[in-house]
């Protein structure tokens, strides 16, 4: 049984590097897992029992398997359906936002372009889901 606070699925290595840096520098959590593609994320959820997972941050547009497909798999699985999933995407398209909520997302955030804004976004969303929200 794995004990993780946070999983994030992000195909951009540079964005993932920034998120990992923020998690470490802001002392948010060392207890996270990063997946660069959707297939690995889906396999992870299929093959493990996860305990105390507070949040999944999920990119929308990725190669192979889209964030929407991953979201649907998470929400259709009895073991994972109650895990909060927040989409973190550069897309501001209305259809993507609506699709995310139709698939069961708990939130949708647009990825800021500036590092300082990304840091604040990650700090706020993780504070809410890891510290304030009760599950």
């Amino acid at each position: 049984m794995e004990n993780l606070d946070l999983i994030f699925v992000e195909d951009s290595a540079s964005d993932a590097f920034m998120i990992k840096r923020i998690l470490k520098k802001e002392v948010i959590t060392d207890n996270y897992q990063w997946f660069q593609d959707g297939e690995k994320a889906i396999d992870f959820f299929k093959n493990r029992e996860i305990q105390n997972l507070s949040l999944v941050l999920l990119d929308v547009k990725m190669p192979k398997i889209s964030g929407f497909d991953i979201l649907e798999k998470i929400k259709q699985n009895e073991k994972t359906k109650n895990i909060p999933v927040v989409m973190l995407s550069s897309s501001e398209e209305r259809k993507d936002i609506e699709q995310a909520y139709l698939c069961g997302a708990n939130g949708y955030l647009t990825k800021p372009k500036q590092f300082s804004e990304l840091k604040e976004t990650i700090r706020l969303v993780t504070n809410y889901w890891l510290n304030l929200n009760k599950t």
Side-chain angles (χ1 to χ4, degrees), residues 5 10 21 23 30-32 36 54 60 75 82 95 104:
D5 293 326
E10 171 61 62
R21 183 173 170 207
L23 293 172
D30 288 328
N31 202 19
Y32 67 87
Q36 194 165 4
S54 297
V60 171
K75 294 301 180 178
N82 293 324
K95 68 177 180 60

Side-chain angles (χ1 to χ4, degrees), residues 22-35:
I22 293 164
L23 293 172
K24 182 177 176 110
K25 293 267 186 189
E26 297 297 309
V27 193
I28 294 169
T29 184
D30 288 328
N31 202 19
Y32 67 87
Q33 180 75 43
W34 166 51
F35 296 102

Side-chain angles (χ1 to χ4, degrees), residues 62-96:
M62 294 186 297
K64 298 181 187 177
I65 299 175
S66 79
F68 299 129
D69 293 332
I70 299 166
L71 175 60
E72 285 181 335
K73 298 256 189 240
I74 291 170
K75 294 301 180 178
Q76 290 169 357
N77 182 328
E78 283 299 313
K79 292 181 191 174
T80 59
K81 70 180 183 181
N82 293 324
I83 297 170
V85 179
V86 174
M87 308 307 283
L88 183 62
S89 177
S90 56
S91 173
E92 295 182 22
E93 294 181 36
R94 189 82 208 138
K95 68 177 180 60
D96 288 339

Side-chain angles (χ1 to χ4, degrees), residues 100-118:
Y101 285 112
L102 284 172
C103 293
N106 298 89
Y108 190 104
L109 302 171
T110 303
K111 213 181 292 176
K113 293 173 183 23
Q114 300 295 320
F115 179 77
S116 61
E117 293 173 9
L118 178 63

Side-chain angles (χ1 to χ4, degrees), residues 7-65:
I7 289 175
F8 70 98
V9 186
E10 171 61 62
D11 63 315
S12 165
S14 61
D15 285 354
F17 173 79
M18 287 188 292
I19 293 169
K20 288 191 274 186
R21 183 173 170 207
I22 293 164
L23 293 172
K24 182 177 176 110
K25 293 267 186 189
E26 297 297 309
V27 193
I28 294 169
T29 184
D30 288 328
N31 202 19
Y32 67 87
Q33 180 75 43
W34 166 51
F35 296 102
Q36 194 165 4
D37 70 60
E39 287 178 341
K40 288 180 182 155
I42 288 172
D43 286 345
F44 179 85
F45 282 110
K46 264 196 261 184
N47 297 323
R48 288 181 178 77
E49 191 171 325
I50 303 158
Q51 182 181 22
N52 299 328
L53 179 59
S54 297
L55 178 63
V56 175
L57 291 175
L58 184 55
D59 193 5
V60 171
K61 298 182 191 258
M62 294 186 297
K64 298 181 187 177
I65 299 175

